[in-house]
Amino acid sequence: MSRRSPLRRAAFLGAATVAATAAAVALTGGGPAQAAAANLSATFAQTSVWNGGYGAGYTIANRGDAASTGWTVEFDLPAGTSVSSSWSSVKTQTGQHYKFTNAGFNGAIKPGATADFGFNVSGAGLPAGCTVNGAACAGGGPVTTTPTTTTTTTPPPTTTTTPPPSGDTVTVSTAAQLQAALANAVPGQAIKLAAGTYRGSFVTTKAGTAAKPITLSGPSNAILINDGPAGDAPDCPVPTAGWDSGYGLWLSGAPYWNLTGFTVQESKKGIVVDNSPHTVIDGVNVNHVDEEAVHFRRSSADSVLKNSTITYTGLVQPGYGEGVYLGSANSNWACHGNSGGVDRGDRIQVLDNHIGPFIAAEPIDVKEGTFNGVIRGNTFDGRGISGENSADSWIDVKGIGYTIENNTGTFAPPGVFANGYENHNTSTSPSFDNGCGNVWRNNKSDLGGVGAYAIKISSVSKCAANPNVVYASNTVTNATSGLTNITVTP
């Protein structure tokens, strides 16, 4: 995936309209009758521009009175210009001619609804000769008509910009509705995503409560994408007018949220949880992001990530492409250290997730100054670990008092791999026993004939008062050195 530019200028350049069926002719009675038909339009827009390329997409709207069954948009690009990546569609190419057909989830467009797909372009040339379902964009397509002496004109459905209705349950189907729902959420509310692609900046600062958490849920084909970042960023990341962080979904000062079932992809970061303790992320899919997939930051303690799938991170910055990031590096505590100068992401649980392949940095990075988390029942696929920024293991543990158990890890090329699990003793101010007091048990490790130890402990002496413990219940295969470099506890 190419990095999208922070510029967010839209230039609507064309549309096409085509009827899905011809009119039906009545065999008896008062004359011809009109069959219900889809009436599709495809509108092109540049979403961002940068030196040497741009991002763009088409929005396909159904202005007819029947659902579409599928769509195909075709166009030509001039020599020297090419589509470098695309999403929410199936792309085929013959020379400079491109054809995009609907993905499995966005072919059926109900009357009044829309679907969209996007792409990044290398070069400056714009699409030409566009067609939608075979009809020329410039001239439009055939439209079903009824040759009667009296006609009734029904105006096309209009798009509302008002917030979705309030209540215990709010169902959304457009990006604008989702943004409004996040901005107006109240304790106990359930926001339900319809299937489809939601493109935009999605952030909430609304808090739930222990008794009434707020839920955002949807099927796996409800997909959140953020084409940012854009605007002038503040010195430290906080929601700021005029600035788009580029995060797929951002909770900031929003504790007690449950996030369930949907997908986040093709964003700068996936899900960022800032100063939002008691967040539960269950069954989500995060993939194809520029940097890390899920980040619990600014003391988002007592949170849970479970039953989720994370793949393809660090596509733009491999060294910052962690699958799961707990806390912050002490060099960032000036921004994120909101608990006595420390990012105290304590007691976070990472349970039963599938992380990898092609996590460019560590599948899980446990940062210094965090305490007493649980990492249990996860599956790590180490293919694609980049080796950049010291990323060469499934988990790097710099926290204190973590329980790491019942996980299964494998490694196979491509990638850079040193050890299955590593720990490090980072110095911080204020000072903690970073990298100490952690426990490994019942973990299964296959190092692919490349990794040295399943569990590599960096220092025994620095943790003399609070030692790390590696139990004999851990197992390893295909290691160049063995299970661990310290004495095993029975």
Short mmCIF file of all heavy atoms in Angstrom, two decimals, residues 80 204 249 454:
data_model
loop_
_atom_site.label_atom_id
_atom_site.label_comp_id
_atom_site.label_asym_id
_atom_site.label_seq_id
_atom_site.Cartn_x
_atom_site.Cartn_y
_atom_site.Cartn_z
N GLY A 80 2.46 6.60 -18.51
CA GLY A 80 3.21 7.20 -17.42
C GLY A 80 2.44 7.32 -16.12
O GLY A 80 2.98 7.75 -15.12
N THR A 204 -14.00 9.47 18.99
CA THR A 204 -14.98 9.81 20.01
C THR A 204 -14.27 10.22 21.28
O THR A 204 -13.19 9.71 21.61
CB THR A 204 -15.94 8.65 20.30
OG1 THR A 204 -16.97 9.09 21.20
CG2 THR A 204 -15.22 7.47 20.93
N LEU A 249 -9.72 4.23 13.96
CA LEU A 249 -10.70 4.52 15.01
C LEU A 249 -9.94 5.00 16.22
O LEU A 249 -8.96 4.38 16.64
CB LEU A 249 -11.53 3.27 15.35
CG LEU A 249 -12.55 3.44 16.48
CD1 LEU A 249 -13.63 4.45 16.11
CD2 LEU A 249 -13.19 2.09 16.83
N ALA A 454 13.60 -19.84 22.73
CA ALA A 454 12.17 -19.55 22.79
C ALA A 454 11.93 -18.34 23.69
O ALA A 454 11.13 -17.46 23.37
CB ALA A 454 11.39 -20.75 23.30
#
